[in-house]
Amino acid sequence: MRTLLFKLIPSNEILGISKETLITLIMLFAVVAITICATHFVRLGLIALFKRIKIHRYEQQTEILKGHKVFAKASATLIPICLLLCIPTIFPQEDIGDLLFSTTKKALLIYLFASLWNFLISTLSAINDVLSIRTRKSVHGFIQTIQLLVSIIFFVLAISTLLDKSPLNILAGIGASTAVLMFVFKDTLLGFVASLQLSLNDMLQIGDWIVMEKYGADGVVIEIGLTVVKIRNWDNTITNIPTYALVSDAYQNWRGMSESGGRRIKRYILIDMQSVKFCDDSMLEQFKKINLLKPYLERKSHELELYNQSHNIDNSVIVNGRRLTNLGVFRAYIELYLQNNPNVIQTMTHFVRQLQPTSTGLPLELYFFTTTDWIPYENIQSDIFDHIIATIPHFNLRIYQQESDFFT
């Protein structure tokens, strides 16, 4: 091409520019123009190829690649590659090795490193997004680590190109300042180790509900990074927690609750102990009108009657022998109510128990599991306790509260 241009340009100088320099500039502009056009066509070709081979299952992945401009950045790497291949033919043979040629070559090499770095960083980000579709396990920390290593490698290559030094010599110089680098990148190194532990031990995943009171975090994990884990709290604020803190400090992860399919309700009501009494015949007859209780009371009454007869119990004194109390019957009713409630998971632990009496009454605790969906969970819990609170007076019991003495 140079020979052809020499024949086409008869004059040795045009507008004060020597023929040799003019030919070099023409060839340089021609190569740049051809390279840019080729890059554009390659990018369009890649997009068309992915559109052709794209099937429904990979449509989302393809859109992620386009969103990160992976195709454009892949084709952009062709520009410095083509220029590096062509500059020996653009410059005259006698100019190869002079300052202009070496400077141009260094600039193109750095341009190549920057293009490759940009392409690899975008590709890794796209890989992170693609993998997050298939699994809840976060690889963001690993991707950030690889991006950091890629950045360091290309930084060393760029410095070695500018200084005409071997990359190994640059690395040796960096090694001499390891202590300073470890201090500067302390959080990054701690975060990298923590990310490995969190991922390998399956301690945390995207979408987990965690509570970490030390940092005021109570919400869902939305990102697990190399140095920071982001929590979207229930009030839609974002809490950033250092990744290594999730290994060194304690936090509560509700994932086990979600995976089990049941969320626990553990709540008690306070019974006024002055309202607890033995059941007489009229009370028992009244209680037997309750459908859930009738089989239980018939069985229990027969059992107690046989026991008292076999032990010659004097029934004239009510405290002799074994007798039902209104609190015991009420506790049995709640157990039967929970067993027949479709919102209570029967395959999980459920019971009713008394806790230690206090100056504020006798705690009667309900322990059972229901749905993990938040709003239905709260509604079910409220419905059950609404029913229990409204039922208590039917068993001649009172709920303890500060004003209770005024209403007795």
Side-chain angles (χ1 to χ4, degrees), residues 47-297:
I47 294 174
L49 177 63
F50 271 83
K51 282 184 178 179
R52 181 175 292 276
I53 66 173
K54 178 179 65 177
I55 57 177
H56 179 70
R57 202 165 50 144
Y58 298 111
E59 183 173 357
Q60 194 172 6
Q61 287 84 339
T62 305
E63 291 301 320
I64 289 174
L65 292 175
K66 288 173 63 178
H68 286 277
K69 300 181 179 180
V70 173
F71 305 131
K73 292 174 181 179
S75 59
T77 59
L78 293 176
I79 296 176
I81 293 174
C82 293
L83 291 175
L84 282 169
L85 293 175
C86 293
I87 57 170
T89 60
I90 295 174
F91 285 86
Q93 196 67 27
E94 61 273 11
D95 291 344
I96 295 178
D98 67 2
L99 181 61
L100 179 61
F101 178 81
S102 61
T103 303
T104 304
K105 188 174 181 180
K106 286 181 181 181
L108 289 174
L109 281 172
I110 293 173
Y111 180 25
L112 175 62
F113 295 150
S115 299
L116 288 173
W117 173 83
N118 196 20
F119 166 67
L120 290 175
I121 294 297
S122 298
T123 303
L124 289 169
S125 298
I127 290 172
N128 177 61
D129 291 348
V130 169
L131 292 177
S132 65
I133 297 174
R134 296 182 172 273
T135 177
R136 291 178 61 198
K137 292 185 178 180
S138 175
V139 294
H140 191 54
F142 293 107
I143 296 297
Q144 284 186 318
T145 303
I146 297 173
Q147 288 176 332
L148 179 62
L149 292 175
V150 168
S151 300
I152 292 173
I153 290 171
F154 280 106
F155 175 75
V156 170
L157 289 174
I159 295 298
S160 65
T161 301
L162 286 173
L163 300 179
D164 286 328
K165 300 286 185 180
S166 170
L168 296 177
N169 293 335
I170 303 296
L171 289 174
I174 294 175
S177 56
T178 302
V180 177
L181 290 175
M182 288 184 67
F183 177 77
V184 173
F185 294 102
K186 179 189 69 172
D187 290 339
T188 303
L189 294 173
L190 288 173
F192 170 65
V193 175
S195 295
L196 288 176
Q197 290 180 294
L198 290 174
S199 180
L200 294 176
N201 296 323
D202 198 18
M203 297 168 62
L204 197 67
Q205 295 180 5
I206 300 294
D208 284 356
W209 170 16
I210 71 169
V211 177
M212 201 169 187
E213 294 182 357
K214 180 179 178 180
Y215 293 92
D218 183 5
V220 177
V221 178
I222 58 174
E223 182 180 316
I224 304 175
L226 182 61
T227 56
V228 168
V229 173
K230 293 183 179 180
I231 312 295
R232 183 182 298 278
N233 299 310
W234 298 119
D235 59 359
N236 284 331
T237 59
I238 304 295
T239 300
N240 295 318
I241 302 175
T243 306
Y244 59 82
L246 291 161
V247 176
S248 60
D249 296 335
Y251 66 94
Q252 186 178 20
N253 192 332
W254 289 76
R255 190 204 315 164
M257 177 270 294
S258 301
E259 292 176 347
S260 70
R263 183 176 175 185
R264 185 185 69 178
I265 293 177
K266 182 184 178 184
R267 180 185 287 188
Y268 63 82
I269 51 177
L270 293 170
I271 303 296
D272 188 342
M273 289 182 284
Q274 295 181 9
S275 65
V276 179
K277 62 187 71 173
F278 288 113
C279 294
D280 55 27
D281 292 339
S282 62
M283 289 173 63
L284 290 176
E285 288 301 320
Q286 189 68 27
F287 294 158
K288 285 181 181 179
K289 295 179 181 180
I290 301 173
N291 292 333
L292 286 177
L293 276 177
K294 185 176 180 180
Y296 165 79
L297 288 175

Side-chain angles (χ1 to χ4, degrees), residues 209 234 254 256-258 260-266 343-345 348-349 367-378 380-381:
W209 170 16
W234 298 119
W254 289 76
M257 177 270 294
S258 301
S260 70
R263 183 176 175 185
R264 185 185 69 178
I265 293 177
K266 182 184 178 184
N343 294 314
V344 176
I345 301 176
M348 294 185 173
T349 305
Y367 187 107
F368 60 96
F369 289 83
T370 185
T371 179
T372 59
D373 294 334
W374 193 359
I375 295 177
Y377 168 85
E378 296 294 345
I380 291 168
Q381 180 174 228

